[in-house]
Amino acid sequence: MTTSDTPSAAPAAPAAPPVTASADARAQDRLRALHRAGQLAERYPEVEALLADLPAERLPQAGQLLSRVDADEVLRHHPRTPVVGVAVTGHGTLAPLVPALTAETARHGMLLRPYVADFGGYVFDLSDPSRPLHAAGADLVLCVLDPMAVLDELPTPWQVADVERTLEEKVRLWDGLVGRFRAESPATLVLNTLPLPRRFTAQLVDHRSRAVLGAAWREANARLLRLAEAHPSLVVLDLDPLIADGGPASETRLSLYAKSHLSAGLLAAYAREIGHLARHLAGRTKKALALDLDGTLWGGVLGEDGPEGIEVGDGYRGEAFQEFQRTVRQLGSQGVLLTAVSKNDLEPVRKVLADHPGMVLREEDFVRVTANWRPKPDNIRETAEVLNLGTDSFVFLDDSPYECGLVRRELPEVATVRLDEEPAEHLERLLRDSWFGVREVTAEDRSRPSRYRDESARGDFLRSFDSLDDYLRELGVHVRLARMERADVGRVAQLTLRTNQFNLTTVRLQPAEVEALADDPDALVLTVRSGDRFGDNGLVGALLLRRDGDVCRVENMLLSCRVFARGIEQTCMATVLRRARKAGFRAVEGRYRETAKNGGVREFYPECGFGRADGGGADAGGGAELAFRHDLADVPAPPDHVSLTLALNGGLL
């Protein structure tokens, strides 16, 4: 996957108008006009905002237009556009999946490079490294399974025992294929569960046999889902929740005549889930949810109706707002940073959060509550600054078309979700794009909100000092630099996927790749933990090192944005330099690969005493790639306000 983040040389996308009943029609007309004029490649940065206004059922049509655009032509105009390579294989006909995938990646600001394997060849595609699928070099490999992969092999007539036997054989086959594929490819492999068509269950005339068949089928799907526990680079999508949202799982005529065994609607929903996964692998997962209050968390207007008059808890609408709050709180419990951005006076808001009996969310559930009469884009910017996050980390929810339009215009990088007057629909609008989806929720994720609340306290503490040096001395920063333990693999992989600002190369790694580094005798993965007088920050960074003769190479260094500028990064690099000299290395070398978001660390190596080295140039995404070298003759001392604990346990250093 191309490691750049967002277009920088591209012209700014025009502001989307406030969402109205005709906004989707205007967006569709604009896409058609760009297509007719041959300007879709040139104006590609506009596409993300246009697709945001299209309902899900119209996205495949947009994908038909976008799939005709030459990806290389887009990159010629906008070389920083993130590219995701997706290879598709499976049992049935899958070419119709490409337009849906094209639209879903485009609506998240990415560009699709698809490869579709030959019909029905998934067993050979996954097991044989000489097949074109492996040569495609995809980031994601989709092996789309369908029920006919099992049912086509039944005898005529068949019994439930025949299905059970075939299911057992297939699950064993798929397990083996995953293992062989993982040994040959670093790509993320995606399988899916199998829907059970009624046209087969109905062929059994007794309900007892239907029940036994249903149990066997679900047990096989459960085993499929559990394959991901044994294979870290595997994702298994459960199709049942997608089918439950409506529409048939298959269409008999298309299944029989075209061998397209999953319906167009189900493939479109599947593509949406793949778009979410691709967004995460590209490091574009959101971190913070900025919530309006009036009309969003409760019904009515607090300033006009008073605490007693708002709708939450009582009545059918109040219960709908309460259920929405439960969902928001559930997200917060998994590491999503909840913030409130409201046009209200602060004290009445705090009183409702503290005392209203219908409220599920309380002030302590939020990392920051902002209630004033300033423009909401300004408040989102300020919240991002206080939390040390980029505004592109935010999702904004509001029921006001005006406020949503304003945020879209002023902060197009914020994912803006417009709610309407029906609170029962709030849940679906929040959840349908899985903005905060990750491969695995870690202990670090669950503790993140409390640490960001500490971050807000640090900001207040900083404002009480006349100088940054005085603040840092009183902050009491401590760092633990240690060899990575097995329990940290998921968190380190997550840092490579989600960290954009302090990420020297923006190379994304899956857990299996991090494990491989840990097992390599010529490599060393160091974890960085930090804390201070306000609490423990947890695992906030990593250094990936490799021996190359008498040179120690820094393959990457990552640090969470919430601990920038406290001397942690300088302490870690100074320690690596000192330990490398002690271990007998002649030099330490590293590279910086420029992206749209990591410009703030461009001078990190020079500030640590490194000089420029030969071997720089431009990376595949068009950004600068700079090489640096430190000869270890004059190693800088770490900042004196940081205390350091080492736990390296041998190895490279």
Side-chain angles (χ1 to χ4, degrees):
M1 187 174 296
T2 300
T3 55
S4 55
D5 297 284
T6 54
S8 63
V19 180
T20 67
S22 61
D24 61 322
R26 290 200 301 269
Q28 205 164 30
D29 289 344
R30 176 61 175 160
L31 277 173
R32 290 195 187 110
L34 291 174
H35 171 67
R36 287 194 297 268
Q39 295 181 335
L40 272 174
E42 181 182 350
R43 308 294 296 179
Y44 196 78
E46 294 184 27
V47 170
E48 181 178 2
L50 292 173
L51 295 183
D53 283 332
L54 287 185
E57 62 270 17
R58 295 194 184 179
L59 284 172
Q61 296 174 326
Q64 291 285 359
L65 296 180
L66 293 169
S67 62
R68 302 171 194 168
V69 178
D70 185 341
D72 290 328
E73 183 68 9
V74 173
L75 293 173
R76 187 175 70 82
H77 289 287
H78 312 291
R80 295 286 187 84
T81 305
V83 179
V84 55
V86 178
V88 180
T89 186
H91 175 258
T93 301
L94 294 168
L97 184 58
V98 172
L101 289 170
T102 302
E104 291 297 342
T105 50
R107 63 191 290 270
H108 294 302
M110 299 180 292
L111 183 65
L112 180 72
R113 278 197 187 277
Y115 167 81
V116 180
D118 292 338
F119 172 81
Y122 75 92
V123 173
F124 301 104
D125 289 330
L126 297 186
S127 60
D128 184 356
S130 68
R131 298 278 286 195
L133 180 140
H134 287 262
D139 306 295
L140 279 168
V141 173
L142 314 181
C143 180
V144 185
L145 303 175
D146 61 66
M148 300 312 297
V150 174
L151 300 172
D152 275 346
E153 300 191 12
L154 298 182
T156 302
W158 56 271
Q159 298 179 13
V160 173
D162 297 313
V163 181
E164 291 176 317
R165 183 179 60 256
T166 305
L167 284 168
E168 176 65 29
E169 292 170 355
K170 289 296 184 180
V171 172
R172 284 205 307 267
L173 169 67
W174 296 330
D175 189 8
L177 287 175
V178 172
R180 288 197 287 277
F181 180 82
R182 181 185 175 190
E184 299 292 342
S185 174
T188 295
L189 177 64
V190 181
L191 300 181
N192 57 273
T193 58
L194 309 175
L196 177 57
R198 185 185 179 278
R199 64 188 173 101
F200 282 88
T201 62
Q203 294 176 32
L204 298 170
V205 297
D206 66 298
H207 288 283
R208 185 177 298 277
S209 294
R210 292 179 185 180
V212 173
L213 173 60
W217 199 273
R218 286 166 178 79
E219 287 164 6
N221 274 334
R223 289 176 61 191
L224 253 176
L225 290 165
R226 292 193 184 102
L227 289 182
E229 298 175 9
H231 302 286
S233 59
L234 173 69
V235 172
V236 183
L237 290 185
D238 188 354
L239 297 191
D240 279 357
L242 307 185
I243 297 168
D245 269 353
S250 63
E251 299 168 7
T252 303
R253 189 167 61 91
L254 288 175
S255 179
L256 292 174
Y257 294 164
K259 306 305 178 188
S260 183
H261 303 307
L262 300 178
S263 70
L266 182 54
L267 285 177
Y270 172 93
R272 179 176 286 258
E273 297 298 313
I274 296 301
H276 302 161
L277 179 58
R279 181 186 62 207
H280 170 60
L281 295 179
R284 299 164 74 85
T285 299
K286 302 296 185 180
K287 300 176 182 178
L289 178 59
L291 293 152
D292 172 49
L293 298 179
D294 292 334
T296 298
L297 286 191
W298 56 67
V301 178
L302 178 61
E304 297 176 1
D305 302 321
E308 306 82 9
I310 62 174
E311 296 177 291
V312 58
D314 294 330
Y316 69 93
R317 282 176 55 86
E319 290 175 358
F321 282 110
Q322 195 174 65
E323 185 62 24
F324 179 65
Q325 289 193 27
R326 288 192 184 95
T327 301
V328 170
R329 196 176 193 199
Q330 172 70 14
L331 295 177
S333 73
Q334 298 166 87
V336 177
L337 306 176
L338 306 181
T339 69
V341 181
S342 174
K343 285 191 172 177
N344 260 305
D345 292 322
L346 181 58
E347 287 311 311
V349 166
R350 282 184 165 162
K351 184 172 178 56
V352 167
L353 291 174
D355 300 333
H356 197 289
M359 291 290 293
V360 174
L361 289 167
R362 300 297 181 183
E363 187 167 3
E364 57 268 22
D365 292 310
F366 294 88
V367 296
R368 186 172 178 84
V369 174
T370 302
N372 56 39
W373 299 97
R374 296 169 56 201
K376 290 191 178 181
D378 291 352
N379 283 330
I380 293 173
R381 287 190 191 96
E382 182 181 271
T383 298
E385 182 178 351
V386 168
L387 298 179
N388 216 353
L389 290 171
T391 49
D392 60 347
S393 296
F394 281 75
V395 176
F396 171 64
L397 264 70
D398 202 308
D399 65 309
S400 164
Y402 169 79
E403 297 293 354
C404 290
L406 185 62
V407 171
R408 280 188 180 179
R409 188 182 69 225
E410 297 296 316
L411 299 173
E413 69 278 13
V414 171
T416 298
V417 179
R418 194 238 159 167
L419 307 175
D420 60 19
E421 295 75 20
E422 175 50 73
E425 298 292 332
H426 287 9
L427 285 172
E428 169 60 21
R429 291 174 184 261
L430 168 60
L431 297 176
R432 67 183 176 185
D433 274 312
S434 191
W435 293 111
F436 310 102
V438 295
R439 288 283 296 273
E440 180 183 3
V441 174
T442 66
E444 293 290 332
D445 292 326
R446 296 187 187 280
S447 62
R448 184 182 297 116
S450 65
R451 288 172 176 157
Y452 271 91
R453 282 191 287 273
D454 293 341
E455 187 62 31
S456 183
R458 288 184 186 93
D460 295 337
F461 186 61
L462 170 60
R463 286 187 282 275
S464 69
F465 286 87
D466 294 330
S467 75
L468 179 61
D469 288 342
D470 291 342
Y471 164 73
L472 291 174
R473 278 193 291 271
E474 292 298 321
L475 190 57
V477 179
H478 51 86
V479 172
R480 185 175 187 269
L481 191 61
R483 186 171 191 150
M484 184 186 70
E485 300 176 358
R486 290 291 174 179
D488 297 328
V489 167
R491 171 59 175 163
V492 171
Q494 188 184 76
L495 281 169
T496 73
L497 292 168
R498 299 186 66 175
T499 303
N500 294 306
Q501 295 178 67
F502 199 117
N503 189 332
L504 294 178
T505 65
T506 322
V507 173
R508 313 295 184 184
L509 298 177
Q510 299 304 314
E513 294 171 290
V514 176
E515 282 186 345
L517 285 175
D519 293 336
D520 189 337
D522 288 324
L524 178 63
V525 181
L526 298 179
T527 57
V528 182
R529 286 176 165 83
S530 76
D532 54 43
R533 64 182 294 163
F534 290 99
D536 179 22
N537 292 312
L539 202 166
V540 294
L543 290 96
L544 282 54
L545 310 176
R546 179 172 294 280
R547 184 200 314 275
D548 185 1
D550 58 0
V551 172
C552 177
R553 297 196 183 281
V554 181
E555 294 198 327
N556 201 6
M557 180 175 177
L558 312 114
L559 195 67
S560 171
C561 57
R562 60 190 165 92
V563 295
F564 284 0
R566 298 177 193 171
I568 295 170
E569 53 268 51
Q570 292 84 1
T571 297
C572 292
M573 186 56 71
T575 302
V576 167
L577 294 173
R578 287 176 174 239
R579 299 288 298 191
R581 182 170 64 183
K582 185 177 180 180
F585 286 102
R586 184 166 53 88
V588 173
E589 294 182 353
R591 286 178 177 266
Y592 163 77
R593 182 179 297 150
E594 182 183 27
T595 71
K597 297 181 183 177
N598 71 354
V601 294
R602 184 186 179 97
E603 298 301 317
F604 175 68
Y605 278 121
E607 289 169 356
C608 292
F610 286 72
R612 284 288 302 274
D614 294 335
D619 69 5
E625 182 169 317
L626 308 177
F628 295 93
R629 181 182 176 92
H630 199 298
D631 62 11
L632 302 179
D634 185 15
V635 175
D640 58 10
H641 68 271
V642 178
S643 64
L644 174 68
T645 301
L646 284 177
L648 301 186
N649 302 322
L652 228 61
L653 303 182

